Amino acid sequence: MPRVLIVEDHPRMAQAVAQALQAQGIACDTASTLRHAVAFLETAHHDALILDRGLPDGDGLTLLAQLRALRQSTPCLILTARDALGERVSGLETGADDYLTKPFEMAELVARTKALLRRHAVWAPEERSFADLKVSPTTSTLVVGPASITLSPSELQILLALMRHAGQVARRGALESAAWGAFSEITPKALDVTIHRLRGKLAALRSVVSIINTKGVGYALAVSDNA
Ligand code: CA
């Protein structure tokens, strides 16, 4: 199992990121200061680093610069509220592998972290299946028989969450946090809109699986009888 160090001083944000990654089978440690982060990095191996810039004891980039100076190539995704082009460039020049500006969608952070781990060949997520559906998280592809379609990051996370519930109702809150994180500021409609798009894709692929709404509670996968 790959292991990621999350360096983020906002406790709810750190927890939301850790939960979203853990749900994908990625182990997480969290550090809220540069000092904590250094202590973690000295005692354990991490396959990737998710690094906030604005930390109580300094800029996350100084830690990254130290690591790179020591020729440590742990892949690093920088998180920051600073979205100016200059900030982005300085992050990448310091040796960051990717860059995400706050606020971000949790599904996008998960997708980019997985891409980092994949590029460094520490993680090959398994295909998941349910009835006639096969989902490949690596390529964000939904396959039914010979046909396939690409899923957006939020569609992928919601479908995987529904598949983990295997026909039981998945609560709205659980689906929202799978796709966008508990921390995001999405409207209640966002989930319904994404489910609507997923239903369209299932229908386009002529799958026997449909998505059932339990009003006010959540959604579940169901398999049609006359399949
Ligand atoms: Ca911060």
Side-chain angles (χ1 to χ4, degrees):
M1 183 188 277
R3 186 165 178 183
V4 169
L5 177 63
I6 301 160
V7 189
E8 162 65 64
D9 59 317
H10 194 300
R12 276 181 58 205
M13 171 75 92
Q15 198 191 2
V17 170
Q19 278 174 355
L21 293 176
Q22 282 159 358
Q24 302 285 315
I26 299 169
C28 296
D29 294 315
T30 57
S32 57
T33 62
L34 290 174
R35 212 163 52 82
H36 281 156
V38 168
F40 259 122
L41 289 168
E42 280 171 354
T43 54
H45 169 79
H46 293 91
D47 299 297
L49 191 59
I50 296 176
L51 187 59
D52 184 29
R53 287 200 57 178
L55 294 162
D57 52 350
D59 185 336
L61 279 191
T62 60
L63 172 64
L64 182 59
Q66 283 166 18
L67 285 178
R68 296 300 184 247
L70 295 169
R71 304 197 177 279
Q72 294 217 18
S73 58
T74 311
C76 179
L77 171 74
I78 296 277
L79 296 182
T80 180
R82 307 173 203 193
D83 59 352
L85 181 63
E87 298 286 346
R88 230 178 325 227
V89 170
S90 66
L92 295 171
E93 278 178 348
T94 308
D97 299 85
D98 202 358
Y99 202 101
L100 202 52
T101 304
K102 293 176 181 175
F104 53 83
E105 287 201 359
M106 196 56 73
E108 185 171 11
L109 177 129
V110 170
R112 289 194 186 205
T113 304
K114 291 198 288 195
L116 264 192
L117 293 170
R118 248 187 343 263
R119 281 208 296 278
H120 292 78
V122 293
W123 195 53
E126 285 169 38
E127 231 181 44
R128 307 268 178 93
S129 50
F130 179 86
D132 62 350
L133 304 181
K134 281 194 177 59
V135 174
S136 164
T138 317
T139 56
S140 294
T141 314
L142 170 62
V143 180
V144 177
S148 71
I149 205 162
T150 302
L151 299 173
S152 74
S154 52
E155 290 165 1
L156 173 68
Q157 296 307 329
I158 285 173
L159 186 57
L160 288 173
L162 288 168
M163 289 168 96
R164 283 196 295 275
H165 280 76
Q168 310 278 10
V169 176
R171 295 193 163 269
R172 295 183 63 92
L175 293 172
E176 286 170 352
S177 98
W180 297 286
F183 199 73
S184 71
E185 293 171 15
I186 52 144
T187 65
K189 273 236 169 277
L191 176 61
D192 303 302
V193 169
T194 309
I195 292 281
H196 178 77
R197 285 202 307 260
L198 268 177
R199 281 175 168 156
K201 291 186 175 181
L202 291 173
L205 295 174
R206 302 181 180 281
S207 172
V208 298
V209 176
S210 56
I211 302 174
I212 307 291
N213 182 14
T214 305
K215 213 170 175 338
V217 181
Y219 289 96
L221 295 181
V223 182
S224 141
D225 289 336
N226 47 12

